[in-house]
Amino acid sequence: MTTFAPLAYLIAAVCFIMALRGLSHPETARQGLTFGMAGMGLAIIVTLLLPMVSSYGLIILGIAIGGGIGTVTAQKIKMTALPQLVAAFHSLVGLAAVCVALAAFYNPEAYGIGTQGAIKLASLIEMSLGAAIGAVTFTGSIIAWGKLQGTISGKPVMFAGQHKLNLVLGGTLLFFVLMLCITGSSFYFWAIILLAFALGILMIIPIGGADMPVIVSMLNSYSGWAAAGIGFTLHNNLLIITGALVGASGAILSYIMCKGMNRSFLNVILGGFGGESSGTASADMGDRQAKMGAAEDAAYLMKNASKVIIVPGYGMAVAQAQHALREMADILKKEGVNVKYAIHPVAGRMPGHMNVLLAEANVPYDEVFEMDDINRDFSQTDVVYVIGANDITNPAAKNDPSSPIYGMPVLDVENAQTVLFVKRSMGSGYAGIDNPLFYADNTMMLLDDAKKMTEGIVKALEH
């Protein structure tokens, strides 16, 4: 098995690469998941058959407990809760990296990295970095989960000297790593872990809810690098490869998210904006009144249109309106209406959130378009149906230099002949920024729960 293991790990690594490739598009996502599961299954089996594994009792118990929790969670989790589920899973990966580092530090002989008090320098560096990144990932992911779940305010939590404090803690952390390498003392190892725990909290708590898609992706990257660092400590090539794949893909996705918001990664970390808000429109809207409508009005406009573009957002996810939305689209298509879906890169609270929800409702993949591919179509569109989105359609991003989202690429829905805007209220979006589109002459506000409104439109279309 020792001779066969490297080949099996190579096959598993190829499966993981194919999984990432498959997950890059909704049409191949299921195939990608199959590759990922096959690769992980092969890796687990090969690892269990290695000669150094001498006791299976605790391993089987751990697999049973973890597998049981994972199965129950997967069956019960709602699609709207996927972002916080991902954040929670990232925290577990980070904590696992910390635990493995501690096990290697206190029993180095079992890992072939030296003896107690005389651990190899390279191994000290690897395990200290893996533990530090894992600790930051653990507490940072818990804060991200709390903000997404609503147990922690989505507003940025700021205080004077916050960035300077983070800088000092970061420098101190590097100093402790250096001292650990020089002395090998357990004091410095525990100091690294505790300081990294604190740094994870302080790094994520000031970031607002509008930046959560970037943070979820960033923490995904962190968890990968933590796994890669521990892979070096364990001399496990597959863990190194897998961690590097996750770390690199998460970093690339974070860049894509930042580009979709026209913000630098450093800007997100240092000045996250946005949070929950239920306020009314700001005073600079003057005395302008929004045009209100009902389901019957929306049904009439869409049934008599030749082209309709649907823009889904987090409100659709919360209301679980994707199935009613697909039913509405099917009726319109039977009437000869050309229906498309427009997806913004940061719609929802997780990269790809809207794509997952539409796929759950069996929306045809060829009707779903990314922002860059569909933005030019809005000017030739009769009706745009915005369901639960807000910030990603805000024209202030293009024409108001004082707006916090100025420069962020948005969907050009205002160029359509008519905009139907489904929201619960006239309040601002998740970024806490008012949307002047509500008061545009070609906008009709449909104030109601997204699912209830869409089902009302379906009934009106049917009659």
Side-chain angles (χ1 to χ4, degrees), residues 33-395:
L33 286 173
T34 301
F35 274 115
M37 290 186 293
M40 184 56 68
L42 177 61
I44 292 173
I45 293 172
V46 171
T47 302
L48 290 176
L49 294 177
L50 289 175
M52 64 276 297
V53 179
S54 58
S55 176
Y56 290 94
L58 288 177
I59 295 176
I60 294 174
L61 179 62
I63 292 176
I65 294 174
I69 293 174
T71 301
V72 172
T73 302
Q75 291 177 340
K76 291 188 175 182
I77 193 70
K78 295 181 179 179
M79 298 299 287
T80 50
L82 274 181
Q84 46 265 53
L85 176 66
V86 171
F89 281 172
H90 289 164
S91 72
L92 296 179
V93 175
L95 184 60
V98 174
C99 292
V100 172
L102 285 169
F105 184 81
Y106 282 103
N107 190 12
E109 295 88 350
Y111 297 89
I113 58 176
T115 59
Q116 185 71 41
I119 299 175
K120 297 176 183 178
L121 175 61
S123 297
L124 285 173
I125 295 174
E126 294 158 4
M127 71 172 65
S128 62
L129 291 178
I133 298 173
V136 169
T137 304
F138 174 65
T139 51
S141 296
I142 290 177
I143 297 300
W145 171 86
K147 284 177 174 282
L148 292 168
Q149 185 70 15
T151 56
I152 299 176
S153 172
K155 297 179 180 179
V157 179
M158 310 287 287
F159 56 85
Q162 191 169 41
H163 299 320
K164 292 181 180 179
L165 175 61
N166 289 346
L167 186 61
V168 170
L169 292 179
T172 306
L173 185 64
L174 292 176
F175 172 74
F176 285 163
V177 171
L178 177 62
M179 292 304 297
L180 174 66
C181 294
I182 294 173
T183 66
S185 170
S186 61
F187 169 81
Y188 290 110
F189 193 63
W190 279 104
I192 290 170
I193 294 174
L194 295 176
L195 198 60
F197 279 149
L199 196 57
I201 296 173
L202 293 172
M203 284 178 60
I204 305 303
I205 202 72
I207 298 174
D211 287 323
M212 274 302 114
V214 179
I215 297 307
V216 170
S217 178
M218 178 197 74
L219 291 168
N220 177 46
S221 179
Y222 284 3
S223 67
W225 296 125
I230 295 304
F232 281 104
T233 301
L234 300 179
H235 303 295
N236 189 305
N237 292 331
L238 181 61
L239 193 54
I240 296 171
I241 294 171
T242 306
L245 285 172
V246 174
S249 59
I252 292 171
L253 189 56
S254 297
Y255 169 77
I256 293 173
M257 293 293 103
C258 287
K259 185 178 179 181
M261 300 169 68
N262 194 37
R263 307 185 72 203
S264 68
F265 182 73
L266 187 63
N267 182 254
V268 171
I269 294 296
L270 297 181
F273 66 86
E276 61 241 357
S277 176
S278 59
T280 57
S282 58
D284 60 5
M285 298 299 176
D287 296 326
R288 298 185 64 181
Q289 296 294 319
K291 186 189 304 180
M292 300 296 170
E296 293 75 17
D297 303 317
Y300 176 81
L301 289 169
M302 285 194 280
K303 189 173 183 178
N304 289 280
S306 60
K307 186 174 182 179
V308 172
I309 295 180
I310 298 170
V311 179
Y314 188 69
M316 181 197 76
V318 173
Q320 287 287 282
Q322 61 268 28
H323 297 283
L325 188 65
R326 194 213 65 195
E327 186 179 358
M328 182 189 80
D330 288 345
I331 295 174
L332 291 174
K333 285 187 288 185
K334 289 180 180 178
E335 296 289 337
V337 181
N338 182 1
V339 179
K340 295 181 178 179
Y341 297 80
I343 306 295
H344 191 280
V346 294
R349 297 185 185 178
M350 182 181 72
H353 198 181
M354 297 300 105
N355 302 78
V356 171
L357 291 171
L358 294 179
E360 183 198 21
N362 294 318
V363 172
Y365 299 129
D366 57 0
E367 295 178 6
V368 181
F369 295 86
E370 300 297 327
M371 178 181 65
D372 293 338
D373 298 324
I374 201 170
N375 245 357
R376 64 177 66 90
D377 294 355
F378 285 109
S379 58
Q380 287 85 43
T381 300
D382 299 303
V383 177
V384 171
Y385 186 68
V386 183
I387 176 169
N390 193 335
D391 303 315
I392 60 173
T393 64
N394 195 332

